[in-house]
Amino acid sequence: YLQSMPKSETIKLREKHLGAACQLFFRSSPLKIVRGIAQYMYDETGERYLDCINNVAHVGHCHPHVVEAGRNQMSLISTNNRYLHDELVILAERLVKTMPEPLSVCFFVNSGSEANDLALRLARVHTKKKDVITLDHAYHGHLTSMIDVSPYKLNLPGGPEKPEWVHVAPVPDTYRGKYTYPKHSQSEEELGKMYADEVGRICKYISDKNGGVCAFIAESLQSCGGQIIPPDGYLKRVFEYVREADGVCIADEVQVGFGRVGTHMWAFETQDVVPDIVTMGKPMGNGHPVAAVITTPEIAKSFADTGVEYFNTYGGNPVSCAIANAVLDVIEEERLLERAQRVGNHLLTRCEKLKHKHRLIGDVRGRGLFVGVELVTDRETRTPATAEAKHIVNRMREEKILISRDGPDSNVLKFKPPMVFSTQDADRLVDTLDRVMAELDGSIPLRNIKLEVLVTPLDETTSTTDSMLQSNMAQSVKAM
Ligand code: PMP
């Protein structure tokens, strides 16, 4: 009952009827996933995979409490939020309780893209300005408005160009960014200042030219840019510059929110700042499409004062809200923040140890269950080991462990598993990684290695006929 047709037929039908630009993992030999439980996914043959990348299945694939909440509400009513419903207001109240003052007004939408689009709309209405500052390599969604502020998708061959009202600041990557340890400074604070001053200069430029900034939008920890942890003090200083230029600060918590960092519910809290607008999605519904924007009464008032009513057919429907409430129940009842901190620290420590063993590892960084392992062919020059990263992702899949890679050079191994990940899972992940890397070091005979991947960088996508995808291969394995 788990599949309606053999895998080969699924592939054929997909190729026939789905847009070739749609992303598919392991394109030349894709996975057919038919079932999920907790941190595991199963293919049509019953093979079990350890899921180290699905931050959407936050409280675990198909958590029974979440499934039951959706099923129950679905059997009662699913309508729109022009009617009163308790699940909606309960969810709003619970989310607001996790936020610092004055973030207290919610809007419910269906995806991270929609949340960021609404955030930008609120910023425009409130500031009456247009210029937006974003970070290099950032991704904020697939809507036209979001592609505009997502350098990760801009200026690619055949793709959209960056609009003139969008200004790109360097990503605060202290390992391979514009300012790094130890070349530019030994001090985290100083590096934070150097990166923030870049935003300050852009604010000044915009203010001189157009009288003020509309918004600064950034992930609190940049995931698409390669699991970047900004230096301490970075966002604090950036927010000061943006606010001095009359702009608002938008924190995109779509990937990193809901306790993934372990110490806090929201990743912006690790930088000790209070944004003007926060957007959230992915983990919020544990796989069900539900997302939200939370802002200040002042900004919400500016929006209401336009007289243009806001309506979103599915945003805040009772089923989505019941599911999101159930996700919050599980986060609380299963103490998933504590778990993310404990298991995340264990994973980080073990990855650090691996760094001493394998020269391929240039940097290990993370917060809670948000971890990146950056691979380089040379630790001095920090040259990205893109082909090796690709090879490792494929070899780990053979070992039934799903990981992904990210960053502008697709050389950062990325771990962001469901929050029910255990220390045993972390051990299995790192032990396997150790063995696969040893094959590359030459200390273990190569097994199953197709050597061409080591000389042909980038690709899980070789069978695609789409030329744009071919030219954007480095991009195509990212943005989960
Ligand atoms: N913001 C970030 C940081 C994301 O990673 C994503 C999705 N990868 C989005 C926004 C867009 O979310 P969605 O795909 O739900 O529209």
Side-chain angles (χ1 to χ4, degrees):
Y1 72 96
L2 292 174
Q3 57 175 353
S4 315
M5 63 193 83
K7 183 172 170 178
S8 54
E9 285 301 311
T10 315
I11 292 174
K12 259 194 225 150
L13 268 183
R14 182 172 165 127
E15 277 177 1
K16 191 165 171 205
H17 293 301
L18 267 104
C22 293
Q23 189 183 1
L24 183 61
F25 279 146
F26 309 108
R27 192 171 280 266
S28 53
S29 170
L31 282 171
K32 184 170 182 181
I33 295 296
V34 295
R35 203 158 64 91
I37 301 172
Q39 64 273 53
Y40 296 107
M41 297 206 293
Y42 295 80
D43 72 10
E44 78 288 1
T45 69
E47 194 70 73
R48 189 172 86 163
Y49 292 84
L50 178 63
D51 185 353
C52 305
I53 45 178
N54 201 324
N55 58 340
V56 175
H58 197 60
V59 299
H61 289 279
C62 304
H63 192 292
H65 182 63
V66 178
V67 172
E68 195 191 351
R71 191 187 284 135
N72 284 348
Q73 188 55 51
M74 194 79 189
S75 68
L76 286 171
I77 185 73
S78 181
T79 182
N80 64 61
N81 68 24
R82 283 183 289 209
Y83 301 99
L84 291 175
H85 201 282
D86 293 346
E87 292 288 349
L88 175 80
V89 291
I90 289 170
L91 177 60
E93 187 183 41
R94 288 178 83 175
L95 288 173
V96 165
K97 273 194 183 148
T98 68
M99 291 280 158
E101 290 275 348
L103 292 162
S104 57
V105 185
C106 301
F107 294 89
F108 290 104
V109 296
N110 309 289
S111 69
S113 303
E114 262 191 50
N116 283 331
D117 178 78
L118 179 58
L120 201 56
R121 191 169 162 200
L122 293 174
R124 288 250 158 85
V125 164
H126 186 69
T127 62
K128 302 189 175 55
K129 299 282 188 300
K130 187 148 190 215
D131 291 83
V132 174
I133 304 168
T134 184
L135 295 183
D136 208 3
H137 315 307
Y139 178 72
H140 294 294
H142 58 80
L143 301 181
T144 308
S145 60
M146 286 301 110
I147 295 293
D148 280 347
V149 296
S150 298
Y152 173 75
K153 299 277 180 190
L154 289 172
N155 297 342
L156 296 168
E161 279 176 26
K162 182 183 83 59
E164 46 78 33
W165 51 268
V166 173
H167 307 264
V168 181
V171 55
D173 172 359
T174 54
Y175 181 68
R176 276 205 326 118
K178 184 167 181 182
Y179 306 113
T180 57
Y181 291 117
K183 189 171 165 196
H184 298 93
S185 174
Q186 295 279 8
S187 144
E188 180 167 359
E189 207 190 317
E190 245 178 82
L191 285 171
K193 181 174 176 315
M194 286 175 188
Y195 277 114
D197 287 351
E198 291 274 342
V199 178
R201 281 192 281 278
I202 296 175
C203 286
K204 173 148 188 351
Y205 169 81
I206 298 172
S207 295
D208 289 350
K209 196 166 165 237
N210 294 334
V213 168
C214 170
F216 167 81
I217 182 168
E219 284 190 89
S220 310
L221 312 176
Q222 204 187 40
S223 49
C224 291
Q227 307 289 87
I228 305 298
I229 313 291
D232 262 358
Y234 170 72
L235 277 185
K236 206 164 214 171
R237 197 172 266 269
V238 165
F239 280 23
E240 279 166 19
Y241 283 130
V242 173
R243 285 169 178 158
E244 266 166 30
D246 301 328
V248 299
C249 301
I250 304 171
D252 179 340
E253 293 270 339
V254 168
Q255 283 221 27
V256 292
F258 287 93
R260 176 154 297 276
V261 295
T263 47
H264 301 85
M265 184 71 163
W266 306 105
F268 65 75
E269 294 174 281
T270 64
Q271 285 267 321
D272 195 22
V273 290
V274 179
D276 304 293
I277 305 176
V278 180
T279 59
M280 59 195 72
K282 290 183 187 272
M284 187 172 173
N286 211 49
H288 175 90
V290 50
V293 178
I294 303 190
T295 190
T296 65
E298 207 190 334
I299 292 177
K301 181 172 183 310
S302 299
F303 193 40
D305 285 350
T306 61
V308 180
E309 284 180 356
Y310 181 73
F311 175 64
N312 186 322
T313 303
Y314 298 115
N317 73 77
V319 174
S320 300
C321 293
I323 287 174
N325 276 318
V327 169
L328 290 176
D329 292 341
V330 181
I331 292 175
E332 285 164 23
E333 281 160 21
E334 298 186 12
R335 299 151 81 105
L336 291 182
L337 269 70
E338 273 171 49
R339 189 183 178 106
Q341 208 177 346
R342 179 169 45 80
V343 178
N345 283 343
H346 180 74
L347 178 60
L348 260 182
T349 311
R350 288 231 40 208
C351 289
E352 278 291 345
K353 284 193 185 146
L354 215 56
K355 185 174 150 191
H356 299 301
K357 213 169 153 188
H358 300 287
R359 293 200 59 76
L360 193 57
I361 300 180
D363 193 37
V364 171
R365 50 189 180 251
R367 281 266 189 170
L369 283 171
F370 175 85
V371 173
V373 173
E374 179 142 11
L375 305 185
V376 291
T377 53
D378 180 328
R379 283 188 180 175
E380 281 304 304
T381 58
R382 302 184 182 180
T383 309
T386 305
E388 289 80 355
K390 183 210 160 188
H391 169 77
I392 288 168
V393 171
N394 288 337
R395 271 291 286 121
M396 295 295 280
R397 178 244 168 117
E398 289 175 3
E399 300 290 335
K400 316 293 177 233
I401 297 178
L402 301 177
I403 62 171
S404 66
R405 61 196 176 117
D406 214 321
D409 296 294
S410 298
N411 67 321
V412 183
L413 302 180
K414 187 168 172 177
F415 311 136
K416 46 184 180 106
M419 302 265 282
V420 290
F421 211 65
S422 67
T423 47
Q424 288 85 348
D425 295 325
D427 285 337
R428 183 176 159 214
L429 166 62
V430 179
D431 289 342
T432 313
L433 200 56
D434 185 14
R435 192 154 40 81
V436 167
M437 284 190 170
E439 294 171 353
L440 283 177
D441 294 346
S443 50
I444 290 187
L446 295 184
R447 211 202 109 226
N448 253 350
I449 293 189
K450 295 166 198 76
L451 274 176
E452 74 269 18
V453 300
L454 296 178
V455 288
T456 317
L458 324 173
D459 175 34
E460 274 90 353
T461 60
T462 43
S463 74
T464 181
T465 49
D466 185 292
S467 62
M468 184 166 154
L469 259 183
Q470 292 281 8
S471 64
N472 293 348
M473 280 194 266
Q475 303 291 326
S476 68
V477 292
K478 304 180 282 186
M480 250 292 280

